[in-house]
Amino acid sequence: MNLKAFADSPFQIRISFHVLIERLEKQAALKNGMRSAMAQEILDEIEPYPELREGITDTDQLMKHADIIKRLTADIFPEVLTLNEIKAITVPFQDVLFNQSQRLQNILAEAGSAFDINIRDFTEHQIYVNSCCIILNEFYGTNFNFSRSWFYDIPDAKGIMKHYRILYNADFMDLVPAPNAPIITAEDIELLRDNYDDLALWKKYFPKDSWILKGFAILNLFDATVENAVSALKGTLLGATYGSNLKNNILEVFRSIYKIPDLDIGFTSFNDVENTFSIATFNPNLKSYLVPHDVEEQCFDTLCGTSLSKLVEERVYFTVSDVAKFLLKDPGNTMAKRFLEQGIGSLILAPVLKNGHLLGIIELVSNRVGELNSINANQLEIVMPYITDTIDRQYSYMQNQIQALIQNEYTTIHPSVYWKFKKEAVKFIKYRGLKKDYALKEVTFTDVYPLYGQIDIKGSSDTRNHSVQLDLQNQLTTLIPLLEQLQLSKNDSNIEQNVRNLQELVMDVQGPLRADTEQHIQGYLEMHIHPLLRVTDGFSETYKAAIDKYFENADKGGDFHHNRRKYETTVALINEKMALLLDRAQTQAQAVFPHYYERFKTDGIEHNLYIGATIAPAKKFDVTYLYNLRLWQLQVLCEMELEHHFLKTTLPYPLDVTSLILAFSLPISIRFRMDEKRFDVDGTYNARFEIVKKRIDKAFVKGTTERLTAPGKITIVYTNHEEEVEYKNYIRFLQSKKMLDDEIEMLEVEDLQSVSGLKALRVKIRYNTSLPLRNFFSYTELLQEAPALAI
């Protein structure tokens, strides 16, 4: 068997004891007593084996001379330390381990015959280049520092991975060039210095077997399992991000530290505002043993007595070495019951504290009694700072995500205008740091062009009223027989009057509903009828079952709300579909030129757009961007109508929608209202745009009873001839793309309060188009394909 672990090496390896033999010869030559005599005795013993001096190249020879080598190295491998030192004869970077101390033999025996010892994370490339660097440092006076910690990872009998640091003593080794060793120049050294990754270059200047490594090294291993585990834990935790499997990354580390192969770990979050425990909010995949059922609990309900005091108030470790015995002493302890139910025999609970704030509790658990206790709980001291920093970082990351979500979902600070809010915030923070007052200025944008559009659910109020009528009729007609049976049993005139009242209510809901009808009926039932039905003593089981069934159906999820749920589901499905489509389309529109965008869900979807130079001052604004956005808006409404056309057949109620655009050519100013946390038009003059928006929704065609908006058609309201020409051009362009019908209706809008002279274009949508509408057209394409349409 060859001594080299890798086929390629610049070294010819010869295990030789010549340095040790020469030292013995000097000692023997002194002839000064017992030590000289002992040295001479050893020399006499090895004299028949010249290969010990000249060098051994095969491990079989080493085995053959094992006894004499042990005798020769007795001074550096003292027998009295063989059970303490982890030691062997070796060659650096190779896997030969000879003349092993008894402790090393025991360690390798526990690992099993299948275990193959290798230096961790050490490749053939690294070994070759490091070997070359040894030659350069030794013979050419370089100082290439390739030092690093080397480790053997060796499992013990329990399967726990232990980590041993490798230390080499090369005092007994010589390095000499072979006849074929190239001469290395200063230029060669500079070239090699800058090309660590070029293995072929290193092999050119240090060919295989071009140097002779003669002698032996002493390998010393140091059990660095805990230190290595802490180092690995730091690396793991530094790389941990939200959603990463934190448990799996650190569990092996804790098992190495505690030497418990089946140790498990959990974490419970603590909310000091609500004084509750829950699973890890930053990583729901991390199990909680204290709160095993994924619910929030008041901490006094989960932890009891001493445990609560130590963890939440004193904030020190709490240990139970025998959970069953602990529960016998305190039978009412909820915490102990939970751990015992989960098969836990012993445990350690450690508070995770940051700046005096309790973030949560680390739970170390074992299914065996006594494995975890108040003594080994102190081993947590070396890792808790890193765990605390990581969990705090996870919480901070989660808080940033929450803030981003709140900003996105609950406020109107759109990314296109975020820069201006940020600018004001930076000023405020700067002045606060200088201990100066600074009043936040209002955020305004002047000279922006507004665009407004909506897709409204037609007949939504009538449909809701009809659904309420059907549900109330169902509930009342079900209730009357139950009350009549109760009246027969008790012969109570008050109950008889209630029956008559219910019959009158049935008649009421068959006619047009008043605004307070639903609330009035529900209030009457709760106050006068339901209390009667809840007293069922003395009645048959059949009657009681009927009462229970009534209350079950009266619940929000019951049959008496069936039609209202259908209506609410219909509106929700339409709104979600339309909002999703509009939001996705906005991504493409924003890429053309940034603009402010907001939308609202009511019985349909409304949206406002504002575009202008002040929204994106870093970009050059041109009116073409406004034309692009108007054309985009018209196309998006076409797509939303088309999507609804195909969605309609799947809805609980097949409700129609109507679409409307308001054209407004004059630039306005908008201001962020701090009290309402939203943008609004700024100034009395600009308010006309808002007034028109609010009043055209229910407007009629002038001189008729026909609503301005109609299913299957897009309506564009405008005020002047230029807007009419512009939108006619957009319509004709989309007609050429088979998105809109050929006919354009020219309408006048009825005079509204404080608003008159409005006109409208109305055009029918083609639902049979196969055009991929998500590829939106631009105003440039309009000019290229139909130059005559230029505005």
Side-chain angles (χ1 to χ4, degrees):
M1 184 184 298
N2 197 289
L3 292 174
K4 290 190 287 187
F6 298 96
D8 287 350
S9 170
F11 294 139
Q12 299 177 34
I13 296 176
R14 301 176 186 174
I15 292 186
S16 166
F17 300 90
H18 66 287
V19 175
L20 185 58
I21 292 172
E22 289 169 1
R23 292 183 183 180
L24 288 173
E25 287 174 339
K26 290 179 180 179
Q27 182 67 43
L30 293 175
K31 297 183 179 181
N32 59 354
M34 185 178 296
R35 290 191 60 80
S36 294
M38 290 179 62
Q40 186 59 54
E41 182 180 342
I42 295 172
L43 290 171
D44 292 340
E45 289 184 34
I46 65 172
E47 186 175 359
Y49 312 107
E51 59 269 30
L52 295 177
R53 184 192 296 265
E54 294 167 3
I56 296 172
T57 58
D58 193 284
T59 53
D60 290 340
Q61 286 184 291
L62 287 175
M63 297 297 295
K64 179 181 177 182
H65 300 309
D67 292 339
I68 191 64
I69 291 174
K70 186 174 184 179
R71 171 77 170 135
L72 179 61
T73 58
D75 281 351
I76 52 180
F77 283 81
E79 186 68 24
V80 70
L81 298 178
T82 191
L83 290 173
N84 180 273
E85 294 183 334
I86 311 173
K87 198 171 182 180
I89 288 174
T90 190
V91 177
F93 314 143
Q94 306 300 321
D95 60 2
V96 60
L97 298 176
F98 186 72
N99 200 42
Q100 301 169 9
S101 66
Q102 188 60 52
R103 185 177 176 188
L104 178 56
Q105 293 178 47
N106 295 342
I107 289 171
L108 295 177
E110 283 191 8
S113 58
F115 175 72
D116 186 17
I117 191 167
N118 287 296
I119 300 175
R120 179 207 302 166
D121 298 331
F122 209 33
T123 65
E124 185 172 359
H125 180 114
Q126 292 172 320
I127 289 176
Y128 204 103
V129 175
N130 282 5
S131 298
C132 297
C133 289
I134 290 174
I135 298 168
L136 289 172
N137 290 346
E138 183 72 19
F139 270 81
Y140 293 95
T142 60
N143 188 29
F144 290 132
N145 184 4
F146 54 88
S147 61
R148 52 168 280 191
S149 296
W150 295 301
F151 290 91
Y152 284 137
D153 300 321
I154 307 174
D156 66 8
K158 296 179 180 179
I160 296 173
M161 190 61 70
K162 305 192 73 174
H163 310 284
Y164 297 90
R165 187 189 302 276
I166 301 169
L167 302 173
Y168 289 118
N169 182 336
D171 290 347
F172 301 94
M173 300 199 77
D174 285 331
L175 180 63
V176 294
N180 65 330
I183 302 299
I184 308 298
T185 67
E187 291 77 12
D188 298 333
I189 293 174
E190 287 186 13
L191 182 63
L192 291 167
R193 180 186 62 195
D194 299 328
N195 289 279
Y196 176 87
D197 294 328
D198 190 347
L199 183 58
L201 182 68
W202 288 89
K203 287 185 175 181
K204 173 185 174 183
Y205 290 102
F206 297 94
K208 178 183 176 182
D209 298 335
S210 58
W211 288 77
I212 299 171
L213 189 63
K214 184 179 179 182
F216 69 94
I218 301 173
L219 171 82
N220 286 280
L221 297 184
F222 167 70
D223 188 347
T225 298
V226 174
E227 292 80 356
N228 187 267
V230 172
S231 178
L233 179 65
K234 286 191 287 185
T236 296
L237 295 181
L238 284 173
T241 57
Y242 180 82
S244 65
N245 195 342
L246 200 59
K247 177 180 177 179
N248 287 342
N249 288 338
I250 67 175
L251 189 54
E252 185 177 341
V253 173
F254 275 101
R255 288 176 175 174
S256 294
I257 293 173
Y258 277 89
K259 300 180 177 63
I260 301 174
D262 56 352
L263 179 78
D264 212 344
I265 186 171
F267 180 80
T268 301
S269 287
F270 178 68
N271 183 336
D272 57 356
V273 176
E274 300 180 28
N275 202 34
T276 57
F277 286 124
S278 66
I279 63 170
T281 49
F282 60 83
N283 192 329
N285 294 321
L286 198 56
K287 180 177 180 178
S288 167
Y289 288 91
L290 281 170
V291 190
H293 303 300
D294 189 14
V295 293
E296 283 195 0
E297 289 192 79
Q298 290 292 321
C299 64
F300 287 94
D301 296 333
T302 306
L303 297 177
C304 308
T306 306
S307 50
L308 176 66
S309 174
K310 283 183 175 295
L311 280 168
V312 180
E313 297 173 9
E314 298 178 27
R315 299 182 177 181
V316 297
Y317 301 152
F318 179 78
T319 63
V320 179
S321 59
D322 189 333
V323 175
K325 186 179 291 185
F326 182 86
L327 187 58
L328 285 175
K329 293 180 180 178
D330 187 4
N333 192 294
T334 304
M335 178 201 72
K337 288 179 182 178
R338 289 187 179 174
F339 280 111
L340 195 61
E341 287 170 357
Q342 297 174 80
I344 306 303
S346 56
L347 60 95
I348 299 172
L349 304 180
V352 179
L353 298 165
K354 188 69 176 181
N355 299 325
H357 175 65
L358 180 64
L359 302 178
I361 297 170
I362 286 284
E363 309 158 349
L364 296 183
V365 298
S366 171
N367 57 11
R368 287 182 296 279
V369 171
E371 290 272 35
L372 298 169
N373 49 67
S374 63
I375 296 174
N376 60 19
N378 291 281
Q379 290 182 286
L380 280 172
E381 295 286 352
I382 58 176
V383 296
M384 284 304 291
Y386 310 115
I387 292 176
T388 298
D389 287 344
T390 299
I391 291 175
D392 181 58
R393 192 169 67 250
Q394 297 279 318
Y395 271 111
S396 297
Y397 177 81
M398 184 187 68
Q399 290 302 319
N400 290 338
Q401 294 294 97
I402 290 171
Q403 289 177 13
L405 178 65
I406 291 172
Q407 177 176 309
N408 186 53
E409 297 295 333
Y410 297 101
T411 73
T412 56
I413 302 178
H414 189 261
S416 61
V417 296
Y418 180 77
W419 64 270
K420 198 158 188 177
F421 289 89
K422 181 180 178 181
K423 184 177 180 180
E424 277 302 300
V426 169
K427 285 183 181 179
F428 180 84
I429 293 171
K430 177 182 176 181
Y431 276 85
R432 186 175 62 182
L434 296 172
K435 301 289 192 293
K436 295 181 179 180
D437 293 332
Y438 181 80
L440 286 169
K441 296 178 181 177
E442 288 186 331
V443 175
T444 60
F445 295 94
T446 59
D447 296 325
V448 293
Y449 293 91
L451 293 86
Y452 170 76
Q454 71 169 33
I455 188 161
D456 186 52
I457 300 174
K458 183 174 175 59
S460 58
S461 297
D462 292 340
T463 304
R464 187 189 186 281
N465 288 340
H466 181 61
S467 67
V468 171
Q469 285 177 307
L470 293 176
D471 284 341
L472 290 178
Q473 286 180 40
N474 185 17
Q475 184 172 5
L476 293 171
T477 55
T478 301
L479 188 55
I480 289 172
L482 294 176
L483 216 61
E484 287 176 338
Q485 187 174 346
L486 183 65
Q487 196 272 334
L488 289 173
S489 301
K490 295 192 174 183
N491 196 22
D492 188 333
S493 59
N494 182 45
I495 297 176
E496 185 178 358
Q497 181 60 45
N498 281 320
V499 171
R500 287 195 294 271
N501 292 342
L502 291 177
Q503 291 170 340
E504 290 178 7
L505 290 175
V506 171
M507 298 299 293
D508 286 344
V509 298
Q510 290 175 351
L513 289 186
R514 298 186 305 275
D516 64 341
T517 298
E518 183 180 7
Q519 183 179 1
H520 169 70
I521 291 175
Q522 293 299 340
Y524 176 76
L525 296 180
E526 288 293 335
M527 184 174 293
H528 299 284
I529 306 301
H530 291 172
L532 296 174
L533 296 179
R534 289 191 172 96
V535 182
T536 58
D537 295 339
F539 288 95
S540 67
E541 292 300 321
T542 302
Y543 183 71
K544 290 180 180 179
I547 295 295
D548 291 340
K549 184 65 175 177
Y550 166 81
F551 281 114
E552 180 183 334
N553 288 332
D555 188 73
K556 287 288 186 182
D559 285 350
F560 299 153
H561 290 266
H562 172 69
N563 292 288
R564 277 169 284 189
R565 287 200 306 275
K566 281 177 59 179
Y567 165 78
E568 291 165 0
T569 301
T570 299
V571 172
L573 287 172
I574 294 174
N575 282 348
E576 287 300 321
K577 187 70 173 179
M578 299 299 100
L580 181 63
L581 193 152
L582 187 61
D583 290 344
R584 285 178 176 174
Q586 255 292 297
T587 303
Q588 188 173 353
Q590 289 289 346
V592 177
F593 191 90
H595 55 277
Y596 182 75
Y597 160 70
E598 62 182 359
R599 62 157 173 80
F600 309 96
K601 291 180 183 178
T602 52
D603 283 352
I605 299 294
E606 297 179 46
H607 66 271
N608 291 317
L609 307 170
Y610 299 100
I611 188 169
T614 55
I615 297 285
K619 295 180 177 289
K620 185 178 180 181
F621 178 74
D622 185 89
V623 72
T624 303
Y625 292 121
L626 172 62
Y627 298 154
N628 269 328
L629 197 58
R630 286 174 174 168
L631 179 56
W632 169 89
Q633 182 187 37
L634 186 55
Q635 292 177 77
V636 172
L637 283 178
C638 286
E639 181 176 5
M640 292 168 75
E641 282 271 4
L642 187 59
E643 290 280 357
H644 175 265
H645 176 73
F646 295 110
L647 175 67
K648 181 178 173 181
T649 57
T650 66
L651 296 173
Y653 284 121
L655 297 179
D656 288 313
V657 296
T658 60
S659 298
L660 174 71
I661 287 174
L662 173 60
F664 198 88
S665 298
L666 296 175
I668 65 173
S669 297
I670 57 173
R671 175 169 58 91
F672 187 80
R673 297 190 181 277
M674 298 294 288
D675 53 345
E676 299 178 10
K677 304 302 181 195
R678 61 181 296 269
F679 275 101
D680 199 357
V681 295
D682 188 27
T684 306
Y685 174 77
N686 296 321
R688 176 177 169 79
F689 174 69
E690 286 294 321
I691 293 170
V692 174
K693 269 171 49 178
K694 293 174 182 177
R695 294 181 182 170
I696 60 173
D697 184 25
K698 308 300 183 184
F700 291 89
V701 177
K702 191 170 186 178
T704 73
T705 57
E706 179 188 0
R707 288 285 289 270
L708 186 62
T709 56
K713 297 180 180 181
I714 289 182
T715 303
I716 302 163
V717 177
Y718 63 95
T719 58
N720 58 57
H721 179 68
E722 289 77 14
E723 292 168 349
E724 177 186 319
V725 172
E726 179 182 347
Y727 275 91
K728 274 187 176 180
N729 289 337
Y730 298 149
I731 290 170
R732 292 191 186 106
F733 178 65
L734 296 181
Q735 285 171 337
S736 71
K737 299 298 182 181
K738 309 300 181 185
M739 295 168 63
L740 296 174
D741 204 42
D742 293 337
E743 182 184 353
I744 303 176
E745 298 180 73
M746 307 287 296
L747 308 172
E748 290 188 20
V749 184
E750 68 171 351
D751 290 343
L752 307 172
Q753 182 182 356
S754 302
V755 179
S756 61
L758 294 178
K759 299 180 180 181
L761 302 173
R762 196 164 68 182
V763 61
K764 190 175 181 181
I765 297 163
R766 287 190 174 183
Y767 290 119
N768 60 347
T769 180
S770 59
L771 187 70
L773 296 180
R774 294 186 192 279
N775 298 322
F776 295 112
F777 302 110
S778 68
Y779 179 67
T780 304
E781 291 174 282
L782 184 151
L783 295 181
Q784 289 172 347
E785 295 198 21
L789 299 179
I791 298 170

